[in-house]
Structures are given as C-alpha cells and as structure tokens.
Amino acid sequence: MVKIGLEVHVAISNVKTKMFCGCVNNVVAEPNTNVCPTCMGMPGSKPRINKAVIDSAIKISIALNCKVRNKMFFSRKSYFYNDMAKNFQISQYEVPLAENGIVEIDSKKIRIRRVHMEEDPGKIIHIGGGIINADYTLIDYNRSGVPLCEIVTQPDFETPKQAREFLDKISSVLEYLEVYNALREGALRVDANISTSGERVEIKNISGFRDVEKALQYEITRQENMTRRGQQIIQETRTWDSGSNTTKLLRKKEHEEDYGYITENDLPMITIKQSRLDEIKKQIPEMAPEKVKRYQKQYRISKETAISIAHDPFLAEMFEQVVKKTDPEITGKIFAGVLLKTLNYNNIRIQQTNIRAEDILDILEKLEKKQITERVAELALRKIAEGKNTEKFLRDMDTISDKKQLKDIIKIVLKKNIKAVNDVKSGKPEAMNFLLGQVMKETKNRADQKTVREIIEKYIEK
Ligand SMILES: [Zn+2]
C-alpha cells in the first residue's frame, strides 16, 4: 500500500525583514549583498525574532484548522552544511507552533501533523553538473534567514495525484492569506516521503507541483520494481533530478533525532495570548470554498465555474469587479472558459498580465449589445490575455448587421461547397458545422452563428 506524506516549506513573503535580523526579506539582489553578521552566522552575532513572522505563521495554522500552542520556543538543529554558515539552523522541534490540523481535498481529508517556523538556508548553485557531480559550488546567502513556515502532513496520501491536489489547495489558501508570493523563486518547496511496502524513502527539495507528482510516480515504480526483484527497500534520502526525471540517492537516511537539537537560548520563550489569536482570526478573508458557495447563490453560476474562478484569488477579485456590471452567466463562462484557459495555456497568472477589469467589461458590453459575436469576444479576450492591444482588432470586428451582405457571402460559400450542401441534405450534421465554419472564416467571425445557420437551412430547403 502506498503511503505518502509531505513537508511543505513556504517562504513567508508579507514581512519586510528576515526572520532573525534586519536584512530585507528579498532574495532578488546581487548574490551575497542582502546579508549581515547574524544571517551570515558570524561568531558573537545574536538573533532577534521578527514578530510579524509569527503572526503570518499563526494565520496559516488557523487557516489549516490547527491548534496553536500558547507557549513555544526555538531550537538549534545541527546542520553541518555549507548553505548554513553558523552550522545550525534555528527551527522548532520539541514544541511546534501548531498541531493537528485538517485540510480537505476533493477526494479526502488530509491530517496536518504540525506547523512550525524556521529560517531558510542560503542558496546553493552547482556549476558544471548536478548535486552529485558538479565541478564546483557557489553559495548565495541572500536567502539565509528568510522566514519559512513548514507544514507537515501525516502520511495520508495514497496517490501522487492527491499530493498534487493538496499542494494546489495549499497554494490557493496561502495566496488568500497574502502571506506568500507564488511567483517568487522557491516560494514553495516540498520534501516528500513515500513507502510502498517497507521503509520510508524521502525525496528532498522538489519545487514545482508537477515535479512532485512526477517524482512520487517515479519512486513508486522504482520501489515496486525492487520488490518484484526481491530487493529490500532501505530507508534513505533521495533527490529529484528534473532533467532526467529520476530520483537519485543522496544519503542513507538519518533520523530526526540525529540532528542533535538543542534549545536556542539566544531567543526568549514565546507566549501567544488568546487575544492575539482572536485578532489574527479576524484578518482571515473569505476563502475559496465560501466564495464558491456565494457565487452559486449570488450569481447563479455553476459550481464547476465557481470553483475554477475562486481557486485563484486574483482572478476571483477581477471576476467580482466585472460581474457586478454584466450578465453573470456570460461573465462566468468567459472567465472560466476563455480567460483562465488562455492564461493556463500561456503559463502565466492574471497578476502578471496588463489585463484590467475595464477591458473585459468593454468586450462583454459589446457582446451583450450584439455589436460583436461570441467568437470575436473570445478572440479579443485571448489577445488581452496575451498582452496584446485589442483596440485596432475590435475596430473592424463589428458584427455584420447587413443581412443582404451576409446572404451574399453565404451564397458564395454554398456554391463553393456543393458536396457539403448535399451531405446536409442527406442528413449529415457535421457537414452543417463545416459550412458554418466556412462562413465564419469568410466573415472573420463577424457573423452571428444563429443567423447564419438559419439562412443556410433556408437555402438548402429550397
Ligand atoms: Zn541579516
């Protein structure tokens, strides 16, 4: 039986400074310029806690239905590795920030074991090869000390697909909470553990949800093949190589106790009062599941459409700006059917484009007034989503309102396609679609489909 657990590292983006020093919480800078003695781990430097990080982590914990501890402390995790200059990482081990949460995905409930805070190590860049065979390695400490929130699940996933579903869900939750920037490099990194028959194998540091799914799928096949050959699966840590789409052995697994945690006595014990929890609870906005329910009720759009839109807070925000002034059904269809698909196809998010609510409104208004056809509206939205200007495109795209002009075009198309006309007569519906397509092509999509169909039918009856 396949058992999968995830450890999700979230880079907290809504705090100005790093976790234990005054350096800016920004990894995009010349390498090793956004650093100070504390985040470089110089002897004698002392950490001080950034309270805003705790607030963000509490927000995450509450949103994941966890129980937040009222007293906690930080520990030093022995970590003899070059991306952590002081040779230990400040983390939480014995007492995490929060525990025992639940996250529902489509197919099941996933239990959250714990949520804790820790600092990010620096970034290692291998030159001339991968992690195992590089010529040399560069280290950028700009990331060292960036605040992380780690979400650890129970091994409740049975398939790689469920793991990916969970990550999609978590990412949406974090965006709604405004604690995370999905576009930031390494914003969400995952360690996955998986067992198929015997020992647990851990796959470290996978970024990209699709890669998590692929890595887990690879590992299932690898372990099943080993079992079939009578080989024993041993507990180990592996790394995902997205170039070759394989996992590779990193080291024989150490146990969590092997890290030799000791208390971080340079930081005080932290007490979290109920009033602070209540205050943070109030800041949690309306989340996707509630939005879905409201959209169905308020705008009478389908559940499926509502889910597609509400999943992305940026898309949902724009939808709500537009839908107030237009027909909700058409708006829902346009957002979920055209806009979202185009964005996904181009692999961009709406906040990365110049799309404004006014542009979409403009097109929808034209559509409602039947100045443009549905197809032209679709094409225009696609252009907007791809960052192109639509003013010129729309100028020549008014629906053909002159029936005589339309009839003339249709006559020519029918004359050119006698075979299709005969096929329609002998009852082949796909021939009708072909003729419709030809007329749309001839009119550059400026003809109303319904009218065209009516005219064609009339001509063919004769
Ligand atoms: Zn610093």
Side-chain angles (χ1 to χ4, degrees):
M1 189 186 148
V2 176
K3 272 187 175 177
I4 298 165
L6 298 179
E7 291 175 17
V8 184
H9 300 83
V10 183
I12 306 275
S13 66
N14 68 327
V15 297
K16 288 195 183 77
T17 54
K18 288 186 183 179
M19 193 153 181
F20 299 115
C21 65
C23 293
V24 180
N25 177 26
N26 177 15
V27 285
V28 190
E30 275 291 298
N32 298 311
T33 54
N34 189 19
V35 290
C36 73
T38 300
C39 57
M40 290 284 280
M42 300 291 183
S45 64
K46 290 255 198 285
R48 55 182 196 278
I49 181 77
N50 180 349
K51 275 190 181 162
V53 173
I54 303 179
D55 286 345
S56 294
I58 290 177
K59 216 181 199 181
I60 295 171
S61 305
I62 294 175
L64 302 183
N65 307 299
C66 292
K67 172 112 184 61
V68 179
R69 294 255 194 167
N70 53 13
K71 262 194 166 49
M72 72 194 70
F73 57 90
F74 284 93
S75 293
R76 295 178 175 187
K77 177 180 183 174
S78 301
Y79 184 100
F80 194 72
Y81 210 56
N82 47 18
D83 55 2
M84 207 61 174
K86 58 185 183 281
N87 286 338
F88 62 84
Q89 179 187 27
I90 304 178
S91 179
Q92 292 187 297
Y93 176 57
E94 299 87 344
V95 184
L97 169 74
E99 290 158 301
N100 300 328
I102 290 280
V103 171
E104 263 184 74
I105 55 172
D106 272 357
S107 39
K108 67 185 296 188
K109 281 183 178 156
I110 303 300
R111 291 169 298 158
I112 304 294
R113 192 153 71 84
R114 55 187 275 155
V115 174
H116 68 254
M117 298 169 277
E118 63 185 26
E119 58 180 335
D120 210 349
K123 190 180 170 192
I124 297 182
I125 303 145
H126 300 291
I127 306 291
I131 189 165
I132 293 158
N133 58 354
D135 292 337
Y136 61 97
T137 296
L138 298 171
I139 308 168
D140 177 7
Y141 288 104
N142 284 348
R143 205 178 70 185
S144 174
V146 159
L148 293 183
C149 183
E150 183 172 336
I151 302 163
V152 184
T153 77
Q154 297 284 4
D156 285 348
F157 305 97
E158 290 154 298
T159 63
K161 189 168 167 281
Q162 285 175 358
R164 180 163 173 191
E165 240 176 77
F166 173 83
L167 292 171
D168 274 333
K169 169 98 190 218
I170 290 280
S171 174
S172 166
V173 168
L174 295 168
E175 283 200 318
Y176 268 106
L177 298 177
E178 296 178 349
V179 295
Y180 144 90
N181 176 4
L183 304 175
R184 180 162 154 175
E185 191 200 320
L188 207 148
R189 279 163 282 148
V190 179
D191 297 344
N193 56 69
I194 174 163
S195 67
T196 51
S197 58
E199 291 293 335
R200 235 169 60 126
V201 170
E202 190 170 17
I203 316 163
K204 278 273 182 208
N205 231 335
I206 324 168
S207 42
F209 303 169
R210 203 171 300 156
D211 273 4
V212 172
E213 198 179 353
K214 278 200 269 182
L216 287 167
Q217 200 58 59
Y218 176 85
E219 212 27 53
I220 290 174
T221 311
R222 188 187 72 88
Q223 293 186 18
E224 280 173 354
N225 284 343
M226 282 179 73
T227 309
R228 203 170 304 130
R229 284 187 221 114
Q231 290 165 318
Q232 203 180 356
I233 294 155
I234 43 165
Q235 190 168 0
E236 61 189 19
T237 301
R238 301 180 71 85
T239 176
W240 171 244
D241 180 352
S242 56
S244 65
N245 279 333
T246 55
T247 64
K248 288 180 176 147
L249 178 68
L250 206 55
R251 53 184 176 261
K252 297 276 182 271
K253 171 73 183 171
E254 58 283 298
H255 291 271
E256 200 59 28
E257 306 86 74
D258 296 339
Y259 284 111
Y261 285 90
I262 55 166
T263 321
E264 172 53 278
N265 286 320
D266 282 343
L267 288 167
M269 187 84 154
I270 295 160
T271 310
I272 294 167
K273 290 192 184 135
Q274 188 57 41
S275 55
R276 186 170 175 192
L277 290 181
D278 294 341
E279 195 49 50
I280 293 172
K281 213 175 215 166
K282 274 191 236 154
Q283 294 165 14
I284 294 182
E286 182 188 39
M287 306 292 270
E290 293 99 65
K291 267 199 166 49
V292 169
K293 279 187 198 137
R294 180 165 64 80
Y295 287 179
Q296 285 175 270
K297 217 171 133 199
Q298 190 176 348
Y299 304 124
R300 305 203 167 276
I301 58 174
S302 73
K303 188 177 178 186
E304 208 190 358
T305 303
I307 289 174
S308 307
I309 297 169
H311 181 73
D312 179 340
F314 299 95
L315 193 71
E317 198 187 319
M318 188 153 307
F319 170 74
E320 293 195 39
Q321 281 178 42
V322 173
V323 75
K324 278 183 211 143
K325 298 173 188 164
T326 51
D327 177 76
E329 204 191 317
I330 296 176
T331 311
K333 215 168 96 183
I334 288 289
F335 267 77
V338 182
L339 195 54
L340 188 58
K341 278 196 186 134
T342 309
L343 292 169
N344 288 344
Y345 178 77
N346 289 298
N347 204 14
I348 45 168
R349 301 282 306 275
I350 195 158
Q351 66 270 34
Q352 289 172 285
T353 68
N354 304 320
I355 302 175
R356 296 172 313 161
E358 300 91 85
D359 301 328
I360 302 176
L361 264 174
D362 202 34
I363 291 168
L364 287 175
E365 263 168 29
K366 282 196 166 83
L367 182 64
E368 260 180 278
K369 287 185 195 152
K370 294 206 181 341
Q371 281 170 357
I372 55 171
T373 62
E374 230 172 272
R375 182 73 189 134
V376 168
E378 249 183 69
L379 292 173
L381 279 166
R382 214 160 276 173
K383 278 192 191 296
I384 294 186
E386 284 162 3
K388 292 175 192 148
N389 191 303
T390 54
E391 208 177 303
K392 193 172 166 290
F393 170 74
L394 283 172
R395 208 180 295 146
D396 311 318
M397 282 310 213
D398 276 359
T399 305
I400 299 174
S401 52
D402 181 351
K403 257 210 169 154
K404 163 120 191 7
Q405 189 193 348
L406 192 57
K407 279 180 181 168
D408 288 344
I409 295 171
I410 293 173
K411 264 190 220 163
I412 294 169
V413 168
L414 295 184
K415 231 177 243 169
K416 271 194 210 159
N417 297 284
I418 303 285
K419 189 182 173 296
V421 172
N422 288 334
D423 283 348
V424 174
K425 280 182 184 165
S426 56
K428 286 184 186 157
E430 61 276 11
M432 178 54 114
N433 289 338
F434 171 77
L435 289 174
L436 273 173
Q438 292 302 307
V439 176
M440 294 316 270
K441 202 170 139 194
E442 205 59 47
T443 60
K444 293 199 182 107
N445 298 304
R446 288 163 55 227
D448 176 54
Q449 284 226 34
K450 213 174 131 230
T451 317
V452 173
R453 184 184 278 269
E454 281 167 11
I455 297 173
I456 294 179
E457 278 170 353
K458 221 177 266 169
Y459 277 136
I460 289 182
E461 272 167 30
K462 275 181 191 168

